[in-house]
Amino acid sequence: MSRCKMTRYREWYPNLSVITRVCESSADHDGRWLGVRRGWGSIKARLHSDTVRLQHRGAAPEPFGPVPRSRFQGGSVDVSVMASQYGKSQHRFIPYDRSSQRGEGWKDKIGGGNAHRFGAEDAERGGKNWFKITIPHGTKYDKKWLLTSLQNLCPIAFIPLNYYTEGHKVHFYLEDAAAASALCKLTRRVTDSEGNRVAVLMTSFSCPPFLKSELKPQDLERLKHCMSKRFDGSQKSLDLNSIRTDPDLVSHNIEMILNQENCMQAVIKIIQENIPELLCLNLSNNKLCKLTDIAELVNKAPNLQSLNLSHNELKSEQELDKVKGFRLMELWLDRNPLCDVFKDQTTYISAVRERFPSLLRLDGHVLPPPICFDVETSTNIPACKGSHFVSNEIQGLIQRFLQHYYCVYDSGDRQPLLEAYHNDACFSLSLPSINHLSRCRLKNYHEHSRNIKNIKDPSAWFHLLKRSRLTVVAFLSELPKTQHDMNSINVDVNTYSRTLLAFTVSGVFKEADDKLRDRVKAFSRVFITVPARNSGLCIVNDELFVRNATSEEIRCAFAAPAPSNSPVLPTLMASQQEMLSAFSKMSEMNLEWSQKCLQDNAWDFHRAAQIFTELKAQGKIPKAAFIK
Amino acid sequence: MQTRKSNPITKRRKQFGSQFLRTQIFGWRSVKCTFSSMASTVDFRTLVDQSCRYSDEFVNIYYDCIDKRRRNLTRLYLDKATLVWNGNAVTGRDALSEFFESLPSSEFQVQSLDCQPVHEQATQGQTTLLVVTAGSVKFDGNKQRYFNQNFLLTAQASPNSDQPVWKIASDCFRFQDWAN
C-alpha cells in the first residue's frame, strides 16, 4: 500500500493501527497482503499463535467470533474493503462492515507490529515525536505490575508519562522512538495471571493532549469577544459553528480546536461566567469526537434546550450519555459517524430519545411529541436576603459587639480580645477542601485547619481545638493582620435565649500586608455568646471558616472608602433616629456622643438620660461632646 | 412528700455516658457551679472526641435525608427549632415542613466539617454541639453553588427510646455567593 494513501487515512483516523488494503480491483488482490508482505514475516508467525485467542474477553463494542484456522494457512489474509457497500455516506470511508465476520478486532490483534512500523517512520519524517502506548483491558492490571513486566522484557528503559485510563484501556506516552518500538514488539509477550496475553499498541502524536496548556489571558479575552459576537441575546443562543476558521481568532493566531481539552474548557468557562442562562448552542463543524468536556456544561448552563452537534466526528451513541443531563428539546446529530451505525431511522430516533425523552426535534425534523408524566416540580428557590436580626435590641447588641471586636482584631494587637472571651472559650478554624493553587493563598491558615472529614486522627481533633481564653487569643494573635470590610458584614442570628446568643457573621477581609487585590478572603464565623456586664457579650464558642474570595466578591470589596480607625456608626432605624435627635436636643450633646450614650444603654431613653445626668454631675463628660 | 426533681447528676450521666460517672462524686451544691471548675482535661478530651464522632454521624444522616428522604427531614428538628435560610427565617415544625417541601430536590456534597461542644454556661447544662459545614449543593434546575451551614444540636429525651436523641435547635444556611 502506498505511503501517501496511508497518511491520508491516518489523517482521518489518527488512531489507526492496522494495515488494511483498499481493493480497487480484483486483479490486485490475490488474497494476500500485497506490498506489505515483505518484511511482515514476523506477523505471520504471530497470526498463527493468535488464532486461538481471538475472542476478546470483557466489553468489546464489536465482538467477533474466532476465525477458522484455514484462513491463516500460509499467512494469507483476505481483508477486502468495499467503499461501495456503504452507500449512505459516499464521502466517508468506513473500512469495517459491521455485518462482516472478519472486519472487527483485527485492529487490536494485528496492531502491534504494523503501528510500530508506521510510527517509527513518521518519527523519521520528523512530524510526530510522541508515542502513545495503549494496553487494551489494561485497567484490570495493577499499574506497577504492568509496567514492571513490560520493563523486564524490554531491552530499552522507558519512562511512561501521563499514565491514564480510558474505559478498559490504559494509555501512557513515550518520547523515545526506540523505546516505543521496542515496547511494541512486546505485544502479547506478557501473560497475566489468568493466562491472557497483554497486547501493546502504539500510535504517534505530534503533541499529546496533556502538554497543551491553558489559553493565555489575552487569548481568552479575544475568545470572549469573539463568542460575544456570536451570541444572540434575544434567543440566548451561541453559535460556535466552525469556530476554528473564525476570522477574528485566525487573525490573532488563536487555534480553537474544540477537540482539545484546553480550548473546550476555555469556552465552557466563558459560558459559565457570562451566559449561564444559555438556551441554544451550536457546535457543528468542529470535528468533535467526544463530549466529555461538554458534559460539564450540564451543571453550569442547566437551561440548555437546543444543541447542534452536526458535522462532527462523534463515533458512538455512548457519547450522548455524557450529556443526557440536558433537558433538550432540539438536537442536531446528522453527519456524525455514529448516525451510520444505526440500521434504520427508528432505531436511531429511539436511541436518541432514550437519552433525551423530552426531545421534540431531531436533525430538523419534528418528532411525535412524547407523552410525559406530570412529575415536574417547581425549581424555584426562595430569594436570598441580607442580615437577619431578630429584633432591634439584638441588632444593636450585636452591631456594637462586632464593631468593637473587629476594631481590636484589625488593629494589629489582638491582646485586648482577652476581655471578649470566656475563661473556657473554644475556638477552631476550618478551610474548604481546596486544590493546590488556592492552598498557596491560604497557607497561613492551612496547617491549623480542623476539617473532621479529612482528619482521621482523634488526637488531632483535640489539639486543633483551642481552649481557654489565653490559648485562643494567643492563636488569634498569630494569624495575619487583617482589615475587614465592615460594609460587607452580614449577620444571621441563629438562636437566642436568656443565657445564649448565637449568630453567624460573614463577609470579606484582606490581609493588611498584601497590596494585591486577589488576596481578599471571605469568611463565615459562628459566635456563641453569653451575656456579659455592661450589656455586652462574652464569647464561649468561636468557629471561623476562611476561603478565598470569588472574583465577584473582590470586585465589590472595599468599594467604599476605607473606614478610619474610629468605629463606624451603624445605620439607624427610624425610631432610633427620632430618639437620637430628641436625646441630643435634651442633653445638648452632639449627635455622635448622643448616639454613643444611647447605644451604651441599649437605646433605653430614660436609662441613658439617667446615666447622662449622673456623669454630667460628676463632671466626667468631656467638652468635645457638646461641640456641634 | 416532696416531689423529687430529676437529679441533675443522673441526668448528666445519661447525657455523657459512663465516662462521666466521676461527676457523681460531686454533691448537689457543686453541680450548681460552672462547668469549668469541674471539667478536667481528660473529660474535655473525651467530650471533644465524642462531639466529633457525633457530628460526623449527624452530617451523614442529615444530608442523606435532605437529598433522599426530604419528607422525614423535620423529624430531626426540635418543635421550636429555627432555620435561617439565606436570611429567610423559618420557625416551628410546620413551617419547616412546608419550607423543605418547597425546595427543589437537592444534591449536597459536604467538603468540610468542624464541631465544638458548646459551653454549659450558654446552654444551662443541656448538652449541645455546634456543627459547622461547608460544601456545594445543586438544586434541581439551578446551577451548583457553594454554601456554609451551621447547626446547634441538643440532646433531648426521646419518647421512643431510653436514650436521648440529638435534635437540631437551630440551623443557619447561606450560599457563599448569596449576594449575586
Side-chain angles (χ1 to χ4, degrees):
Chain A
M1 178 182 289
S2 68
R3 208 167 280 181
C4 63
K5 270 204 189 125
M6 261 321 290
T7 23
R8 197 149 37 95
Y9 300 143
R10 268 280 166 100
E11 254 176 49
W12 292 343
Y13 300 98
N15 288 336
L16 188 62
S17 54
V18 68
I19 312 300
T20 63
R21 188 172 147 67
V22 181
C23 274
E24 255 115 39
S25 75
S26 49
D28 269 347
H29 174 67
D30 67 353
R32 292 178 196 276
W33 290 95
L34 284 183
V36 293
R37 203 172 164 199
R38 208 178 305 146
W40 289 100
S42 57
I43 291 193
K44 285 195 224 165
R46 204 170 296 136
L47 288 179
H48 271 294
S49 59
D50 282 346
T51 51
V52 192
R53 281 175 193 61
L54 291 177
Q55 233 157 3
H56 269 292
R57 292 184 185 90
E62 300 150 31
F64 65 104
V67 179
R69 205 168 234 281
S70 58
R71 255 182 225 278
F72 290 82
Q73 295 297 336
S76 69
V77 167
D78 182 354
V79 179
S80 65
V81 189
M82 304 294 183
S84 56
Q85 280 184 17
Y86 307 94
K88 274 188 218 166
S89 48
Q90 299 292 339
H91 64 285
R92 192 173 291 285
F93 181 76
I94 303 170
Y96 304 118
D97 176 13
R98 281 178 78 79
S99 55
S100 148
Q101 278 182 1
R102 319 172 217 139
E104 297 80 65
W106 287 82
K107 203 157 84 149
D108 284 351
K109 217 173 66 58
I110 307 164
N114 307 337
H116 138 72
R117 191 157 288 262
F118 276 80
E121 280 163 350
D122 277 350
E124 281 156 20
R125 256 180 281 134
K128 297 169 195 280
N129 307 321
W130 285 85
F131 303 91
K132 174 169 152 178
I133 304 286
T134 305
I135 316 272
H137 302 285
T139 36
K140 60 180 178 172
Y141 305 124
D142 172 47
K143 173 182 171 183
K144 214 169 156 207
W145 172 86
L146 183 63
L147 292 173
T148 330
S149 321
L150 289 172
Q151 185 67 86
N152 285 342
L153 294 171
C154 182
I156 306 174
F158 65 90
I159 305 167
L161 296 168
N162 196 36
Y163 185 99
Y164 71 101
T165 57
E166 185 193 343
H168 62 88
K169 298 185 220 161
V170 146
H171 305 281
F172 58 86
Y173 291 87
L174 295 181
E175 230 185 329
D176 180 7
S181 48
L183 255 189
C184 257
K185 291 198 182 119
L186 298 178
T187 186
R188 299 194 176 271
R189 290 271 299 278
V190 178
T191 315
D192 71 13
S193 48
E194 286 168 35
N196 296 329
R197 293 198 182 195
V198 179
V200 180
L201 313 171
M202 181 177 77
T203 51
S204 58
F205 272 79
S206 51
C207 185
F210 72 94
L211 275 194
K212 299 199 206 326
S213 50
E214 286 188 6
L215 264 61
K216 297 194 271 284
Q218 60 262 41
D219 287 348
L220 269 176
E221 274 306 305
R222 294 209 182 93
L223 176 63
K224 196 155 78 164
H225 187 67
C226 170
M227 281 170 69
S228 66
K229 279 209 248 167
R230 285 163 167 263
F231 177 68
D232 177 351
S234 60
Q235 304 284 337
K236 299 212 175 81
S237 79
L238 178 63
D239 181 5
L240 296 177
N241 182 347
S242 313
I243 193 162
R244 188 176 181 172
T245 55
D246 185 289
D248 265 354
L249 299 177
V250 167
S251 61
H252 286 114
N253 274 334
I254 302 175
E255 260 204 338
M256 279 306 294
I257 304 172
L258 284 187
N259 243 334
Q260 286 177 12
E261 198 185 316
N262 58 340
C263 295
M264 184 55 97
Q265 288 290 347
V267 166
I268 289 176
K269 191 165 170 216
I270 292 173
I271 294 178
Q272 177 193 359
E273 286 178 356
N274 299 285
I275 41 170
E277 68 275 16
L278 192 64
L279 290 177
C280 314
L281 180 60
N282 184 341
L283 290 169
S284 52
N285 283 303
N286 281 304
K287 295 204 179 140
L288 293 175
C289 51
K290 52 185 168 67
L291 296 179
T292 339
D293 295 315
I294 298 170
E296 286 184 30
L297 270 182
V298 173
N299 276 339
K300 295 171 183 170
N303 300 331
L304 197 72
Q305 284 173 357
S306 162
L307 183 59
N308 187 337
L309 294 169
S310 62
H311 291 262
N312 277 305
E313 311 263 335
L314 299 169
K315 295 190 177 62
S316 128
E317 58 180 286
Q318 269 87 20
E319 293 295 329
L320 293 177
D321 286 329
K322 297 177 188 167
V323 289
K324 68 179 176 190
F326 287 127
R327 279 182 242 183
L328 290 183
M329 300 215 295
E330 187 174 34
L331 175 66
W332 273 276
L333 265 189
D334 55 302
R335 305 295 208 195
N336 274 290
L338 68 88
C339 300
D340 306 314
V341 156
F342 296 98
K343 277 194 285 219
D344 53 32
Q345 195 78 337
T346 325
T347 348
Y348 172 54
I349 296 178
S350 168
V352 171
R353 265 258 166 89
E354 200 186 301
R355 276 89 181 186
F356 304 107
S358 41
L359 197 68
L360 294 178
R361 281 191 296 283
L362 177 61
D363 295 338
H365 300 297
V366 175
L367 298 176
I371 303 173
C372 322
F373 297 91
D374 190 8
V375 286
E376 283 298 319
T377 46
S378 156
T379 55
N380 295 335
I381 53 176
C384 300
K385 299 188 190 150
S387 293
H388 169 69
F389 296 103
V390 176
S391 69
N392 291 345
E393 262 187 79
I394 290 184
Q395 176 172 2
L397 192 56
I398 293 178
Q399 281 178 334
R400 276 203 314 276
F401 167 80
L402 288 178
Q403 267 164 35
H404 191 58
Y405 186 90
Y406 283 111
C407 188
V408 176
Y409 198 87
D410 288 344
S411 69
D413 173 22
R414 295 187 177 135
Q415 286 301 311
L417 289 178
L418 280 169
E419 290 170 2
Y421 286 90
H422 191 278
N423 259 331
D424 304 311
C426 284
F427 173 87
S428 63
L429 167 67
S430 62
L431 300 178
S433 39
I434 39 185
N435 58 34
H436 177 71
L437 176 63
S438 315
R439 191 170 293 173
C440 295
R441 296 200 211 132
L442 290 171
K443 62 181 183 320
N444 291 320
Y445 306 92
H446 190 66
E447 53 176 324
H448 306 288
S449 169
R450 187 169 183 256
N451 183 347
I452 294 167
K453 277 230 166 272
N454 292 345
I455 299 171
K456 294 303 169 197
D457 175 17
S459 64
W461 296 342
F462 180 71
H463 290 115
L464 286 171
L465 180 66
K466 318 293 173 199
R467 196 186 185 214
S468 96
R469 66 156 69 139
L470 291 171
T471 324
V472 172
V473 176
F475 175 75
L476 290 177
S477 302
E478 279 172 25
L479 292 178
K481 181 162 190 264
T482 55
Q483 191 190 342
H484 284 74
D485 179 4
M486 296 309 281
N487 290 330
S488 71
I489 297 266
N490 180 281
V491 179
D492 285 328
V493 173
N494 293 36
T495 187
Y496 66 98
S497 72
R498 234 179 3 98
T499 54
L500 171 151
L501 175 60
F503 53 96
T504 311
V505 184
S506 56
V508 296
F509 66 94
K510 65 177 183 229
E511 286 169 359
D513 295 331
D514 284 320
K515 301 285 182 284
L516 305 170
R517 279 191 78 74
D518 69 350
R519 296 297 173 106
V520 176
K521 314 253 187 318
F523 73 95
S524 170
R525 194 163 186 170
V526 184
F527 287 106
I528 300 184
T529 61
V530 293
R533 58 180 196 285
N534 290 347
S535 57
L537 297 172
C538 176
I539 307 169
V540 290
N541 288 84
D542 178 359
E543 205 282 342
L544 172 63
F545 174 90
V546 179
R547 60 176 171 85
N548 287 312
T550 62
S551 30
E552 182 65 28
E553 282 169 329
I554 296 175
R555 205 174 55 81
C556 302
F558 301 99
S564 56
N565 279 335
S566 62
V568 174
L569 301 173
T571 38
L572 300 176
M573 291 174 293
S575 53
Q576 289 174 333
Q577 295 272 13
E578 272 180 49
M579 200 188 285
L580 175 63
S581 45
F583 193 86
S584 169
K585 226 187 233 175
M586 187 212 77
S587 65
E588 290 177 14
M589 286 202 292
N590 59 33
L591 285 175
E592 197 192 313
W593 280 81
S594 306
Q595 188 171 337
K596 211 164 153 213
C597 185
L598 282 169
Q599 276 177 338
D600 283 343
N601 293 287
W603 293 92
D604 181 342
F605 192 93
H606 292 292
R607 199 164 123 214
Q610 251 182 328
I611 302 284
F612 167 78
T613 325
E614 274 174 32
L615 291 173
K616 191 169 179 198
Q618 293 165 10
K620 285 192 176 160
I621 301 183
K623 292 225 173 62
F626 298 98
I627 300 171
K628 298 267 169 72
Chain B
M1 199 193 282
Q2 235 181 20
T3 44
R4 205 173 152 196
K5 293 190 183 160
S6 78
N7 187 339
I9 293 172
T10 10
K11 183 167 120 189
R12 197 177 301 274
R13 192 196 330 171
K14 276 190 192 148
Q15 285 168 355
F16 294 116
S18 54
Q19 284 94 337
F20 291 84
L21 275 175
R22 64 187 73 217
T23 63
Q24 280 186 90
I25 63 174
F26 297 100
W28 164 250
R29 285 218 189 89
S30 310
V31 167
K32 279 194 180 163
C33 36
T34 56
F35 188 73
S36 54
S37 58
M38 280 176 5
S40 66
T41 316
V42 175
D43 281 358
F44 184 68
R45 189 168 183 148
T46 317
L47 189 59
V48 167
D49 192 66
Q50 282 187 334
S51 310
C52 294
R53 293 184 202 282
Y54 280 133
S55 61
D56 194 24
E57 202 184 326
F58 164 75
V59 158
N60 290 337
I61 292 172
Y62 181 86
Y63 290 102
D64 185 70
C65 201
I66 199 172
D67 282 345
K68 296 178 189 153
R69 287 188 298 276
R70 184 74 67 77
R71 288 224 181 80
N72 293 351
L73 191 61
T74 49
R75 281 168 55 179
L76 295 174
Y77 288 79
L78 273 184
D79 283 333
K80 287 169 292 183
T82 53
L83 161 66
V84 181
W85 199 92
N86 284 306
N88 296 293
V90 184
T91 316
R93 272 241 182 102
D94 292 333
L96 280 170
S97 185
E98 225 181 275
F99 180 81
F100 286 125
E101 275 292 303
S102 74
L103 283 182
S105 59
S106 58
E107 253 180 68
F108 274 89
Q109 268 186 347
V110 177
Q111 288 155 359
S112 88
L113 165 63
D114 191 7
C115 71
Q116 291 180 11
V118 177
H119 199 284
E120 289 230 315
Q121 193 171 324
T123 64
Q124 294 179 290
Q126 196 169 16
T127 314
T128 309
L129 271 189
L130 167 65
V131 178
V132 180
T133 60
S136 69
V137 59
K138 180 165 185 334
F139 285 106
D140 193 29
N142 291 269
K143 66 177 166 81
Q144 194 182 55
R145 297 169 86 161
Y146 291 105
F147 71 90
N148 284 105
Q149 187 164 18
N150 59 78
F151 304 89
L152 280 174
L153 300 187
T154 177
Q156 293 270 296
S158 160
N160 297 334
S161 76
D162 292 334
Q163 293 165 325
V165 291
W166 290 109
K167 291 277 188 189
I168 303 172
S170 97
D171 176 357
C172 178
F173 177 96
R174 217 174 242 285
F175 291 130
Q176 287 180 6
D177 62 348
W178 67 272
N180 298 351

